[in-house]
């Protein structure tokens, strides 16, 4: 069991988001925790930073976000995802454009999102979100 610090980001006066630092293929990444996201998502503008020679294929399943209509999505594999020193190997993720979210974050002077940590990996990590103590507990 590892305890990883959580950042609680205040979004204007309307609410909060949870962010955790992790590593993708050994490189630091900011991950927004989204328990409502069924799949983990990598920002398409950050793929080349984290993956040397990514194999990208069209994501054939219907994929939608908070906006209206379908989103152009791809899938790829991240060799190593490290959270609190614990490691997951060969994890398939969805790749979409997170520019509009990152533009919104910039308005509030918040860090960019590289990855949306979805329920697929949260379940794989046996993760527990401990808000009062500001930590993510992982049991990979």
């Amino acid at each position: 069991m590892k305890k990883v610090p959580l950042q609680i980001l205040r979004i204007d006066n309307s609410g909060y988001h949870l962010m955790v630092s992790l590593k993708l293929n050994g490189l630091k990444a900011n991950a927004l925790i989204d328990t409502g996201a069924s799949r983990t998502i990598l920002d398409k503008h950050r793929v080349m930073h984290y993956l040397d020679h990514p194999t990208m294929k069209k994501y054939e399943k219907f994929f939608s976000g908070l906006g209206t209509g379908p989103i152009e999505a791809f899938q790829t594999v991240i060799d190593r995802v490290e959270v609190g020193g614990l490691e997951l190997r060969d994890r398939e993720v969805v790749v979409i454009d997170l520019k509009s979210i990152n533009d919104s974050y910039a308005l509030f002077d918040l860090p960019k999102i590289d990855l949306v940590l979805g329920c697929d990996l949260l379940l794989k990590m046996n993760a527990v979100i401990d808000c009062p103590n500001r930590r993510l507990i992982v049991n990979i």
Side-chain angles (χ1 to χ4, degrees):
M1 175 174 70
K2 293 285 185 173
K3 298 172 184 172
V4 183
L6 269 182
Q7 293 178 313
I8 299 178
L9 307 175
R10 186 175 183 93
I11 307 298
D12 197 13
N13 290 323
S14 60
Y16 301 89
H17 284 177
L18 302 176
M19 187 174 281
V20 66
S21 291
L22 50 77
K23 290 187 179 180
L24 302 177
N25 294 332
L27 300 172
K28 185 180 174 193
N30 291 323
L32 176 72
I33 296 175
D34 187 348
T35 60
S38 58
R39 300 288 311 271
T40 294
I41 299 165
L42 179 61
D43 182 13
K44 82 173 192 176
H45 301 286
R46 304 294 286 152
V47 170
M48 296 307 289
H49 177 75
Y50 292 110
L51 307 177
D52 288 331
H53 302 289
T55 302
M56 303 275 286
K57 53 185 181 172
K58 185 105 171 117
Y59 188 68
E60 297 298 336
K61 298 175 184 170
F62 178 78
F63 192 87
S64 66
L66 293 177
T68 58
I71 296 172
E72 182 180 46
F74 299 90
Q75 59 188 25
T76 193
V77 173
I78 298 175
D79 297 329
R80 285 187 345 259
V81 178
E82 299 169 64
V83 182
L86 300 174
E87 187 175 286
L88 291 170
R89 289 245 176 219
D90 301 321
R91 302 316 309 171
E92 188 175 279
V93 296
V94 174
V95 177
I96 66 170
D97 188 349
L98 296 177
K99 183 181 181 329
S100 63
I101 295 168
N102 278 319
D103 287 348
S104 295
Y105 265 45
L107 295 174
F108 299 108
D109 199 29
L110 296 173
K112 281 191 173 186
I113 299 167
D114 301 305
L115 184 86
V116 174
L117 188 57
C119 253
D120 58 335
L121 290 190
L122 290 168
L123 286 170
K124 190 74 175 170
M125 294 185 286
N126 296 308
V128 175
I129 299 168
D130 180 358
C131 287
N133 294 304
R134 294 179 182 231
R135 62 187 179 194
L136 178 71
I137 301 166
V138 294
N139 299 291
I140 300 173

